[in-house]
Amino acid sequence: MSAAPATVGTFSIRTLSGRRPIPSFRCSLAGEVTTVPILTELKMKCATPLPSLQRIADAMTSDMRAGLAADNGSDLKMILSYVDSLPTGNEKGLFYALDLGGTNFRVARVQLGGKQNKVVDSEFEQVSIPQELMQGTTEELFNFIASKLANFAAKESGNFQLPKGRMREIGFTFSFPIKQTSINSGILIKWTKGFAVLGTAGKDVVACLKEAMQRQGLDMSVSALVNDAVATLAGAKYWDDDVLIAVILGTGTNACYIERKDAIPKLQLPAGGTRNMIISTEWGAFTTDLPLTEFDKDMDSESINPGEQIFEKTISGMYLGEIVRRVLLKMASFSSLFGDSIPEKLLIPLVLRTPDLCAMQRMTPKIK
């Protein structure tokens, strides 16, 4: 980091509670070290000139083809959604939705009125998932979700009308990697985005939800299981028939698109029906040729799923705040970025969240 002094060694940083050794950082023992070299190196390591972008695009295209050819053919799962018919805008009736895809989940109801009236009315609630449930058991998590759904359904007003003889239908948006087995069933492959719920991997998540709803006395049928990318594409198709692709950039990241069935070698379905199907790429697991910095690598090695979801860890909301925290910590360790001491909170993993970064970026300095 500094050209003049040659002697290097580990050092301790002074925090508000005393001195704490940080053996992973090394710096010059003489001379002034600034943050400029750190930022310069970071910029260089993050660079994606056109040739790099082309290599990444080619690698992702190759992985997509391999994933379409066979299960486990590549890092990209290219999951079959079994959604081969999309909204037309003619739909009518009362429908519920449950969206589980990150640290929050949402429940919603919507009254559709067809081509003329479109969305007659809608309501939704957002609920934060306690951290202990993200690391708890399957029954605990789904009991919590079903109880919040039951409370929401109990507040249904007269603006929403269910036709006689019809059961309330719910679409379940589940934004984690699953092996879809039908339009309303799917086996969880693994948890991502900070979840590590015990006993769910290998289970049908719709069955888990149904059992929890039964325990709550909630009379609903799950008509569809999709991830957030597929749900986004379907929702956009309701308004615009030209939509072909949906991309999610949130707690995690994913993309889906409409593929021809005859271009999906691993699809084994009887002939007939529609020609197309939505494919969920699960591109958060992509790895090849990505530019990774020391901060990306260190964060990955200390995560609950090291070596997995690398693309997601470099760009999604679950991780961006943590990457910046690690950069700031190194800068503060090599200079007086925060004065003579480093804030104690800066040493806490995941304490800096992506919404905090957004708030910082929106702040405009006042010019006197």
Side-chain angles (χ1 to χ4, degrees):
M1 297 300 177
S2 178
T7 306
V8 297
T10 59
F11 68 95
S12 296
I13 60 174
R14 190 174 66 211
T15 67
L16 298 181
S17 61
R19 300 180 66 84
R20 178 174 300 185
I22 307 292
S24 60
F25 294 145
R26 298 178 68 83
C27 74
S28 299
L29 297 180
E32 182 180 0
V33 181
T34 70
T35 61
V36 174
I38 298 173
L39 295 178
T40 301
E41 183 180 8
L42 179 62
K43 183 178 180 180
M44 180 185 68
K45 291 289 181 64
C46 291
T48 51
L50 190 58
S52 296
L53 291 176
Q54 188 62 60
R55 285 195 303 274
I56 293 169
D58 290 344
M60 183 173 285
T61 300
S62 177
D63 276 6
M64 289 174 69
R65 290 195 180 114
L68 288 173
D71 287 334
N72 301 316
S74 78
D75 288 339
L76 303 191
K77 298 296 184 184
M78 305 300 287
I79 294 173
L80 308 176
S81 71
Y82 291 89
V83 176
D84 57 5
S85 62
L86 289 162
T88 63
N90 293 314
E91 291 77 12
K92 293 183 179 181
L94 172 61
F95 301 94
Y96 275 75
L98 170 62
D99 178 7
L100 174 62
T103 52
N104 301 307
F105 75 87
R106 288 166 288 275
V107 289
R109 55 178 154 253
V110 59
Q111 189 81 39
L112 299 180
K115 281 287 188 185
Q116 298 302 316
N117 297 317
K118 291 291 185 179
V119 176
V120 178
D121 203 354
S122 64
E123 294 176 340
F124 82 96
E125 287 183 3
Q126 181 166 295
V127 181
S128 295
I129 300 176
Q131 184 68 35
E132 61 270 21
L133 292 184
M134 294 171 63
Q135 315 290 327
T137 66
T138 301
E139 187 170 307
E140 289 170 341
L141 175 62
F142 281 92
N143 280 349
F144 178 78
I145 292 169
S147 67
K148 298 300 181 182
L149 176 59
N151 292 341
F152 180 72
K155 294 182 286 187
E156 182 180 292
S157 69
N159 295 335
F160 299 89
Q161 302 295 324
L162 182 69
K164 288 185 178 181
R166 292 283 299 274
M167 180 183 289
R168 283 172 176 77
E169 294 183 75
I170 184 168
F172 186 16
T173 300
F174 186 80
S175 304
F176 300 91
I178 59 171
K179 178 176 175 57
Q180 195 103 14
T181 52
S182 71
I183 188 61
N184 62 352
S185 63
I187 307 300
L188 176 66
I189 298 172
K190 63 181 178 181
W191 288 106
T192 57
K193 294 180 272 192
F195 279 71
V197 179
L198 298 174
T200 322
K203 288 186 176 180
D204 181 354
V205 294
V206 172
C208 294
L209 177 61
K210 284 181 177 178
E211 291 167 5
M213 289 194 299
Q214 289 172 356
R215 290 192 289 268
Q216 292 292 328
L218 188 57
D219 191 18
M220 282 188 179
S221 65
V222 179
S223 57
L225 171 68
V226 295
N227 67 28
D228 54 351
V230 175
T232 298
L233 197 158
K237 198 78 170 177
Y238 181 75
W239 300 95
D240 185 348
D241 193 52
D242 292 331
V243 172
L244 297 174
I245 298 169
V247 174
I248 297 296
L249 294 168
T251 302
T253 184
N254 191 20
C256 71
Y257 70 104
I258 298 175
E259 180 63 274
R260 299 190 329 272
K261 288 182 179 177
D262 61 9
I264 311 172
K266 69 180 179 182
L267 177 61
Q268 298 178 356
L269 287 177
T274 60
R275 294 186 304 166
N276 302 322
M277 178 182 290
I278 297 179
I279 296 294
S280 175
T281 65
E282 296 298 330
W283 74 4
F286 181 69
T287 303
T288 309
D289 285 332
L290 293 177
L292 299 178
T293 69
E294 63 182 276
F295 308 104
D296 297 311
K297 295 173 183 177
D298 289 345
M299 182 184 67
D300 173 54
S301 67
E302 296 172 20
S303 69
I304 63 172
N305 55 344
E308 301 178 3
Q309 300 299 114
I310 302 300
F311 185 41
E312 183 167 85
K313 287 174 180 173
T314 60
I315 69 169
S316 71
M318 179 79 187
Y319 305 98
L320 289 179
E322 174 62 7
I323 292 172
V324 172
R325 182 193 72 84
R326 289 171 178 270
V327 175
L328 290 174
L329 181 57
K330 183 169 184 178
M331 291 168 63
S333 303
F334 280 97
S335 70
S336 300
L337 184 64
F338 298 105
D340 293 334
S341 63
I342 294 178
E344 187 76 18
K345 279 191 173 182
L346 197 60
L347 302 172
I348 303 173
L350 301 174
V351 70
L352 187 60
R353 304 173 305 120
T354 301
D356 299 326
L357 305 186
C358 295
M360 293 175 194
Q361 193 169 27
R362 285 195 300 267
M363 294 173 65
T364 304
K366 293 182 180 179
I367 301 176
K368 295 183 179 180

